[in-house]
Every structure is written in C-alpha cells, then in structure tokens.
Amino acid sequence: METSPSAGAPTFVREDAAFESRGVRCAAWVYRPAGAAPGPAAGGGPAVVMAHGFGGDRRTRLPAFAERFAAAGYVVVLFDYRTFGDSDGQPRRLLKIRRQHEDWRSAVAFARSLPGVDADRVVLWGTSLSGGHVLRVGAQDARVAAVVAQVPHVDGLASALALRPTVSLALGIRAFADLALAAVGRGPHYVSSIGAPGSGAVLQSPDALPGWERMTAQSPEHVPVAGIVAARVSLAMPFYSPGRAVRGLRCPVLVQVATDDVVTPPGASRKVAGRIRDVRVLEYSGGHFDPYVPPLFEQVAADQVAFLAEKVPVPAP
C-alpha cells in the first residue's frame, strides 16, 4: 500500500490489484481517498476507471491524474491492458483494439464490484487512443455515469492523413512483415511507438519524442524509454473511428482538445463532439502531449475534477 507523498495528511492510498480479462491477468492500482473505508457505504460512491493511450502504460503520467481524482473523493481504478505494462499476456505489446475494448469492460466490471463503489456511478477516463475507447465503450454501456476523453483518437482516417505518405508506406510494409511472421508462427515484428521524424516510429510528429521525454521525466515509476508495439497495428488504426459510435452515449461527456494537436486532429474531435447529446468541449493551446505535464496539466486536471464534481459528485460525508 502506498500513500500520497505530502508534508501534511495524506490525500489518498493506493493498493496493487488485478482482474481477469478473457482469462488473462490485468494489473491495476486502486486509489482510495485517505480515510475512506473500503467497506460498504450508504449507496456507495463514484469511481473513475482509467487506462493508458497508444505509446505508454499506466505508469506514464497517469498516476498524476488518478491522484487528483482520489484526493477529490473518488475511488480510481488505473489499469494496464493485456500484454502491456505489468499485465500478463503474450506476445508482448500486441495492440488489438477489440481486446482493449474487452479489457475496458472487464475493468469496469471490476470497479463495480469493489466495496464502497456505486455500480451505477462509474466514470470512464481515457486519453489519446483510450480517449476513443471510452467513447465507444461508454456508448455500449448505459450504466456509465460520465466519460472524460482527453485529446481523443476519434477518426482513424483523419489521423492517418496527418502522416506523410512516405511514413504511411513504410509503416504499412513493416505491418505486412509482422503479419507474415505471425502466419508462420514467428514474430512479432516490432516498431517504435514514439520517435523522432524519420525514425520509423508510429507516432513521429515533431513534438512526439520531446513530449514523450517530458512525460517520462515526470513519471518517476516509469522507465524513460519509448516503447515498442507489434507493427500490424498500423493496418488497423486508419479504420478505427470510435467517433462513429457517440450517438449512443447517454451520459455527460467531457472532450478536451489541444488546438495544435497533429496526432489526434482537433477538427475531428470537434466534429465528433457535435454529435454527442450532452457534451462539454474545452480547448487548450498546445500539442498532443502538453496536457500531461505542467503548466497545462494543472488546468486540464482541474477542469476534469470540476466536471466530475458537477456531473458525478461525491456524496457528502
């Protein structure tokens, strides 16, 4: 068990946990407000379920957000997908969108089973790729209380068109090589998740590697090395457009857009947000990686806490 590092009284406690998704163990942290009893409350309180985006794992700056929510009174479940981070599963870092959706549903079921959590007051929080996942999963689960989508991936074609054609071609060639190896029981063939322009990485916008380095520099539990991913994901991403599902959302949604984002283009996010019946769109000057670190982090996180306090408030003691 860990507590919040503070000169005063701790604001949260964090415990290691795990749940199964299709028979595979997913690693999680459960955060609780300091002093909150883990036993049944009067009707239970709200919980926030969180997962990482494309290039990282739960250790990459996500604890900073989880700590804010726990300090505000929310139980938080922060997890790694199968084959990523501290979760089990082979081959490692094989990103399949359908599997990640399954992991989300398993994580939500786990959160709803926790003592002291109101099963009908569970919030989904996602960023980048997982920002798209929470829109899709939230649209399929009428019990979800709210969704927070930070710089979300909503339109696969828009994101693909933001890449130079030569980059797309190179990634496609490596993706087919990965599939060829899989067909004969070998591989995977990996590519870097994040890198400098011309590096061959999936995310190689000019701000990608500097942004990643800023994030990992402020993630003390994370090894500051950009990860890898099985190359075949490059063939799936242009066809993954979770924004098409948003008309099914019945809960309040917060969409946070970075105006200079070239990874998840802001125009696509604005367009998708316009199709959500109960939505709040907040825009920030910066790129895709800026919301994770100061100075922008402070405003982004504060806006998320304020949204939750309004839409899914913590019961009074």
Side-chain angles (χ1 to χ4, degrees), residues 95-115:
L95 197 167
K96 289 192 173 183
I97 292 165
R98 175 183 55 81
R99 289 186 183 180
Q100 293 196 345
H101 289 173
E102 292 171 349
D103 295 346
W104 266 103
R105 288 190 283 269
S106 297
V108 170
F110 171 69
R112 286 173 172 155
S113 74
L114 291 174

Side-chain angles (χ1 to χ4, degrees), residues 200-236:
V202 178
L203 302 182
Q204 51 175 288
S205 61
D207 65 337
L209 188 58
W212 175 263
E213 290 173 342
R214 290 197 306 273
M215 289 169 61
T216 55
Q218 298 190 45
S219 303
E221 297 176 280
H222 193 281
V223 178
V225 177
I228 57 174
V229 66
R232 71 196 75 171
V233 71
S234 297
L235 298 178

Side-chain angles (χ1 to χ4, degrees), residues 83-177:
T83 81
F84 283 82
D86 297 315
S87 293
D88 295 341
Q90 296 290 336
R92 301 302 296 169
R93 297 188 72 88
L94 175 61
L95 197 167
K96 289 192 173 183
I97 292 165
R98 175 183 55 81
R99 289 186 183 180
Q100 293 196 345
H101 289 173
E102 292 171 349
D103 295 346
W104 266 103
R105 288 190 283 269
S106 297
V108 170
F110 171 69
R112 286 173 172 155
S113 74
L114 291 174
V117 169
D118 183 339
D120 291 316
R121 304 186 72 219
V122 172
V123 176
L124 310 187
W125 184 101
T127 185
S128 194
L129 181 59
S130 68
H133 291 345
V134 295
L135 295 172
R136 179 70 175 270
V137 174
Q140 297 169 336
D141 186 343
R143 297 177 71 192
V144 167
V147 169
V148 176
Q150 176 178 286
V151 291
H153 170 97
V154 296
D155 186 328
L157 182 59
S159 294
L161 291 175
L163 296 174
R164 297 195 309 275
T166 53
V167 172
S168 297
L169 177 61
L171 289 172
I173 291 171
R174 299 185 72 177
F176 281 112

Side-chain angles (χ1 to χ4, degrees), residues 26-46:
C26 287
W29 286 316
V30 175
Y31 295 75
R32 290 185 181 274

